[in-house]
């Protein structure tokens, strides 16, 4: 009877090891996904950063990259702790999982709060940024961002195309355009001379609405990734506790 009990306990430990090892592979892949999302956010959408006075957007991308690296390293520690059955390393691994989980909750709350501030900042500053900095010397990044924003989201102006009437560049004597060429449905040189709806984008709410929708969609992506990893972490913490208890009770 005693031998049978010992055998069952050993089999349970082995099962837990394999389950935790499988979890760590999934966790490692999740870390790679977070890292990829961070890099994608920074590389593909970085043009819009110049339209925001806040560093929240770029900071969130760097946080994602850092989080991805930490998750990958944590997964590696978990694999080592599982394979070598090191109880002390399992405790370190459990603490790391718990710390990341708590940081995700804090980051989620901050992201929601910051989005409200970012939304207000957009409404206050985007129009001024477009009017004062577009096509001005030393503001090439803003010009590129505005052109990309208007073409990618098929919009014109901050609230509407009439915002461009107050632009320093539009009001210049040498300029004959009514709106930038990037407002045109079919962009070409000097197409901005005519601001008729058949020629330029007339989106209700302007580019602000489109940019708000884009930022919100990014938060949804981050939220979905965060929830997925949080669920994995809860499962991992449960497996880790069970394995630690099993190793502690095992006589071998």
């Amino acid at each position: 009877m005693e031998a049978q009990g010992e055998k069952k306990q050993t089999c349970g430990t082995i099962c837990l090891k394999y389950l935790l090892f499988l979890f760590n592979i999934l966790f490692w892949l999740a870390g790679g996904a977070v890292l990829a999302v961070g890099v994608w956010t920074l590389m593909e959408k970085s043009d819009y950063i110049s339209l925001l006075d806040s560093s929240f957007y770029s900071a969130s991308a760097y946080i994602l990259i850092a989080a991805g690296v930490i998750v990958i390293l944590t997964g590696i520690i978990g694999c080592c702790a599982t394979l070598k059955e090191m109880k002390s390393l399992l405790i370190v691994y459990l603490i790391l999982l718990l710390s990341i989980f708590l940081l995700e909750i804090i980051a989620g709350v901050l992201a929601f709060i910051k989005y409200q501030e970012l939304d207000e900042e957009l409404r206050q500053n985007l129009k001024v940024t477009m009017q004062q900095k577009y096509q001005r010397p030393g503001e090439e990044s803003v010009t590129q961002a505005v052109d990309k924003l208007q073409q990618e989201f098929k919009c014109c102006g901050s609230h509407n195309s009439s915002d461009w009437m107050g632009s320093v560049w539009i009001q210049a004597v040498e300029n004959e355009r009514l709106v930038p060429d990037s407002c045109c449905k079919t962009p070409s040189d000097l197409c901005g001379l005519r601001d008729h709806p058949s020629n330029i984008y007339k989106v209700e709410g302007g580019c602000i609405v489109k940019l708000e929708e884009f930022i919100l969609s990014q938060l949804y992506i981050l939220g979905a990734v965060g929830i997925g990893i949080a669920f994995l972490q809860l499962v991992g913490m449960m497996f880790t506790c069970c394995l630690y208890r099993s190793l502690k009770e095992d006589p071998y």
Side-chain angles (χ1 to χ4, degrees):
M1 293 291 292
E2 188 178 344
Q4 279 185 328
E6 186 176 324
K7 186 176 180 182
K8 285 182 181 178
Q9 192 176 46
T10 304
C11 287
T13 302
I14 292 171
C15 288
L16 282 170
K17 281 178 62 178
Y18 279 114
L19 284 172
L20 191 55
F21 185 75
L22 178 61
F23 161 78
N24 277 299
I25 292 175
L26 293 175
F27 196 55
W28 187 83
L29 291 174
V34 171
L35 182 61
V37 169
V39 172
W40 172 77
T41 302
L42 196 62
M43 299 298 292
E44 292 296 319
K45 306 300 179 182
S46 59
D47 288 338
Y48 302 138
I49 294 174
S50 58
L51 298 178
L52 307 172
D53 288 341
S54 172
S55 60
F56 168 72
Y57 188 76
S58 56
S60 64
Y62 285 118
I63 289 170
L64 275 178
I65 293 171
V69 172
I70 292 170
V71 168
I72 290 172
L73 291 175
T74 302
I76 293 172
I77 291 172
C79 286
C80 294
T82 304
L83 291 174
K84 295 186 177 182
E85 300 181 6
M86 298 173 63
K87 287 182 282 188
S88 57
L89 200 56
L90 277 175
I91 294 174
V92 172
Y93 176 61
L94 183 62
I95 292 171
L96 284 173
L97 283 180
L98 184 60
S99 299
I100 296 171
F101 182 75
L102 293 174
L103 285 173
E104 282 174 349
I105 294 175
I106 295 170
V109 173
L110 288 176
F112 178 77
I113 295 171
K114 280 291 183 180
Y115 172 72
Q116 308 303 318
E117 295 177 5
L118 198 61
D119 185 52
E120 184 62 29
E121 178 197 311
L122 271 177
R123 293 191 172 275
Q124 290 179 356
N125 299 332
L126 186 59
K127 181 178 179 180
V128 175
T129 299
M130 285 181 162
Q131 290 180 338
Q132 299 296 325
K133 295 184 178 181
Y134 185 78
Q135 290 289 6
R136 305 305 296 165
E139 300 291 351
E140 290 77 12
S141 61
V142 172
T143 301
Q144 183 181 354
V146 170
D147 286 338
K148 183 176 180 180
L149 176 68
Q150 295 190 141
Q151 275 298 297
E152 189 169 324
F153 294 131
K154 303 183 188 307
C155 58
C156 182
S158 176
H159 296 86
N160 51 60
S161 59
S162 63
D163 289 340
W164 286 109
M165 294 175 62
S167 167
V168 175
W169 175 68
I170 291 293
Q171 292 175 352
V173 177
E174 66 275 8
N175 184 36
E176 300 177 354
R177 294 177 180 82
L178 298 176
V179 294
D181 294 338
S182 58
C183 279
C184 299
K185 295 178 179 178
T186 307
S188 61
D189 193 30
L190 297 178
C191 68
L193 291 171
R194 194 167 67 94
D195 63 353
H196 192 271
S198 63
N199 183 50
I200 67 169
Y201 294 115
K202 293 279 188 177
V203 178
E204 187 176 350
C207 291
I208 276 185
V209 172
K210 294 293 185 179
L211 195 53
E212 283 175 338
E213 290 174 354
F214 163 74
I215 293 173
L216 194 58
S217 69
Q218 295 298 296
L219 288 178
Y220 284 148
I221 292 173
L222 300 186
V225 171
I227 290 171
I229 291 180
F231 175 76
L232 280 176
Q233 285 171 300
L234 288 174
V235 175
M237 283 187 277
M238 181 182 69
F239 285 157
T240 304
C241 289
C242 291
L243 180 59
Y244 179 82
R245 182 181 298 175
S246 181
L247 290 174
K248 195 173 181 180
E249 292 175 354
D250 259 350
Y252 70 92

